[in-house]
């Protein structure tokens, strides 16, 4: 808009006359807020619907992949983070109790003076304790009569919820899912090649037309494997189609996800996923142990039975343990364990609930269809690179997951329009499709 005030070429591009008034720069922001992320998704889906009507998008194969999006934040220290949410909480609660808020701000100054020169850990303890005291008071506030429509109260509830989350992060530092910023509290830290702070852009692409059929944005530590279900379901709900095959990288070697993807009563997808390499094993394998789920025991190749079992950490199967006294005198010990048993227990065997799905994925990886599909998989990596590097998708412009989703939907829409024009012009390329 600024350039259009002085540059005739920009006015021509916007189809504005020399003396026509320029749009207000905030119009696009207002339009974005009015349309919302669901509106942008509807526009995105409509373009794919038009492509399906033209016979460009097929249901033969979807290729899924994800990459990182860097959040538009400067990650503060823990000390600064606690101070920021404290100040925001006080600003939000001031309309409801100005006198108490003023008193707490005096306490802030007193704590700052008393802790000056102390170690960072001591200063953090003092600020966390004060934030906890403020929250105890804020939690007891009664909502106003117009709480449902009161924007100030809604802002207070939002800041209170975030303050509780930040306190929980301090009390359970090993729990993960830590809040990084009060500016963009949905951004998370994860590793994608290297550590980064932000989000995860996840897309599925039609292998034939190379059009992006669905887009989603997750927190950086989101479940990329499970999002495959969301992408396929969203597309099929939007267009009423039935995707046949899904290609996903190694993250898709996930039992619960594979079961849902391949469920004949559900999505019924033929899933192509590279299985991890299995280390060579010179001892008995889990398949050599006969399990009776109903009776709750497992029998080893030597005929011994163990009823001691517990669920594994991910709750994906049972872990059975044999007593050491049983294993010590077993004639098959050398074939069962690489080293003599130590401690209370001998052989430990894990029976996975999703072994059938894993076995099917490994078997499929030996077929010619697998090699053909995996040869097409790099297409989605190039498409992701186009969205992220050529259309500004790599760095988040906005704060909040739904706004970042809007940004990526716009970038994906632009990428699809370019591809759609190429596909429509391809038959006429010889005589200049631009005329």
């Amino acid at each position: 808009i600024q350039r259009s005030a002085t540059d005739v070429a920009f006015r021509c591009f916007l189809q504005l006359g020399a003396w026509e008034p320029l749009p207000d720069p905030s119009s696009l922001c207002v339009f974005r807020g009015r349309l919302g992320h669901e509106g942008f998704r509807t526009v995105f889906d409509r373009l794919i619907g038009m492509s399906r009507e033209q016979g460009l998008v097929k249901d033969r194969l979807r290729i899924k992949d994800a990459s990182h999006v860097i959040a538009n934040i400067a990650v503060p220290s823990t000390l600064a983070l606690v101070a920021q949410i404290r100040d925001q909480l006080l600003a939000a609660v001031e309309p409801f109790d100005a006198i108490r808020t003023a008193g707490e701000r005096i306490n802030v100054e007193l704590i700052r003076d008393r802790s000056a020169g102390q170690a960072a850990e001591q200063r953090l303890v003092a600020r966390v304790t004060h934030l906890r005291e403020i929250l105890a008071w804020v939690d007891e506030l009664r909502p106003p009569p117009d709480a449902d429509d009161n924007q100030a109260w809604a802002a207070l509830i939002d800041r209170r919820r975030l303050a509780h989350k930040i306190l929980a992060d301090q009390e359970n530092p090993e729990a993960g899912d830590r809040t990084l910023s009060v500016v963009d509290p949905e951004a998370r830290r994860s590793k994608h090649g290297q550590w980064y702070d932000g989000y995860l852009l996840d897309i599925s692409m039609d292998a034939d037309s190379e059009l992006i059929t669905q887009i989603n944005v997750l927190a950086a530590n989101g479940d990329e494997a499970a999002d495959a279900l969301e992408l396929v379901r969203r597309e099929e709900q939007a267009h009423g189609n039935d995707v046949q095959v899904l290609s996903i990288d190694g993250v898709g070697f996930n039992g619960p996800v594979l079961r849902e993807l391949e469920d004949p009563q559900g999505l019924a997808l033929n899933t192509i996923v590279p299985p991890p390499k299995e280390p060579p094993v010179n001892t008995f394998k889990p398949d050599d142990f006969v399990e009776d789920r109903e009776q709750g025991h497992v029998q080893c190749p030597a005929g011994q039975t163990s009823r001691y079992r517990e669920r594994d950490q991910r709750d994906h199967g049972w872990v059975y343990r044999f007593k050491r006294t049983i294993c010590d005198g077993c004639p098959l010990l050398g074939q069962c364990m690489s080293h003599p048993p130590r401690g209370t227990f001998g052989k430990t065997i894990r029976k996975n609930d999703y072994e059938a799905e894993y076995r099917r994925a490994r078997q499929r990886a030996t077929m010619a269809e697998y090699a053909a599909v995996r040869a097409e998989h790099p297409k989605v990596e190039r498409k992701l690179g186009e969205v992220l590097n050529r259309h500004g998708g790599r760095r988040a412009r906005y704060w909040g997951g739904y706004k970042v989703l809007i940004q990526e939907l716009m970038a994906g829409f632009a990428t699809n329009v370019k591809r759609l024009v190429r596909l429509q012009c391809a038959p006429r390329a010889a005589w200049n499709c631009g005329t």
Side-chain angles (χ1 to χ4, degrees), residues 148-320:
D148 293 339
D149 303 315
N150 192 318
Q151 293 185 356
W153 181 256
L156 173 59
I157 295 300
D158 178 70
R159 293 299 91 180
R160 185 179 70 181
R161 185 184 302 113
L162 180 57
H164 276 295
K165 174 66 171 62
I166 290 174
L167 273 184
D169 291 343
Q170 305 310 310
E171 294 169 358
N172 302 284
E174 302 300 325
D177 197 43
R178 291 175 64 88
T179 300
L180 303 176
S181 168
V182 296
V183 174
D184 189 353
E186 295 179 47
R188 291 292 184 268
R189 176 165 295 173
S190 187
K191 195 170 187 179
H192 193 269
Q194 59 185 0
W195 290 99
Y196 76 100
D197 304 314
Y199 296 90
L200 196 66
L201 171 62
D202 202 11
I203 70 170
S204 63
M205 187 190 80
D206 172 39
D208 296 307
S209 64
E210 296 187 21
L211 288 168
I212 301 170
T213 55
Q214 271 301 318
I215 287 179
N216 203 12
V217 169
L218 312 172
N221 62 347
D223 191 343
E224 181 190 342
D227 197 51
L229 299 163
E230 182 70 14
L231 292 174
V232 175
R233 284 171 179 156
R234 277 188 177 276
E235 179 185 345
E236 293 187 349
Q237 289 171 2
H239 305 293
N241 61 319
D242 185 17
V243 177
Q244 302 300 309
V245 182
L246 174 68
S247 176
I248 183 172
D249 57 19
V251 73
F253 196 77
N254 179 299
V257 173
L258 286 173
R259 178 169 293 181
E260 284 199 59
L261 287 172
E262 299 174 349
D263 182 6
Q265 304 303 318
L267 295 174
L269 283 166
N270 185 1
T271 309
I272 302 297
V273 54
K277 292 183 178 179
E278 293 185 282
V281 177
N282 298 321
T283 57
F284 292 130
K285 298 180 180 180
D287 290 345
D288 297 321
F289 291 75
V290 180
E291 182 186 26
D292 189 330
R293 285 286 177 100
E294 295 182 1
Q295 298 297 324
H297 63 75
V298 67
Q299 187 179 65
C300 74
Q304 298 292 337
T305 300
S306 173
R307 293 184 177 275
Y308 181 89
R309 66 175 185 172
E310 58 186 357
R311 296 295 290 178
D312 62 14
Q313 292 183 346
R314 295 191 303 168
D315 197 27
H316 284 187
W318 289 102
V319 177
Y320 292 88

Side-chain angles (χ1 to χ4, degrees), residues 356-375:
E357 285 75 17
Y358 291 137
R359 188 182 298 109
R360 195 159 50 242
R362 289 191 177 96
Q363 182 180 8
R364 193 174 290 132
T366 63
M367 299 178 179
E369 179 193 11
Y370 172 88
V373 170
R374 293 304 297 175

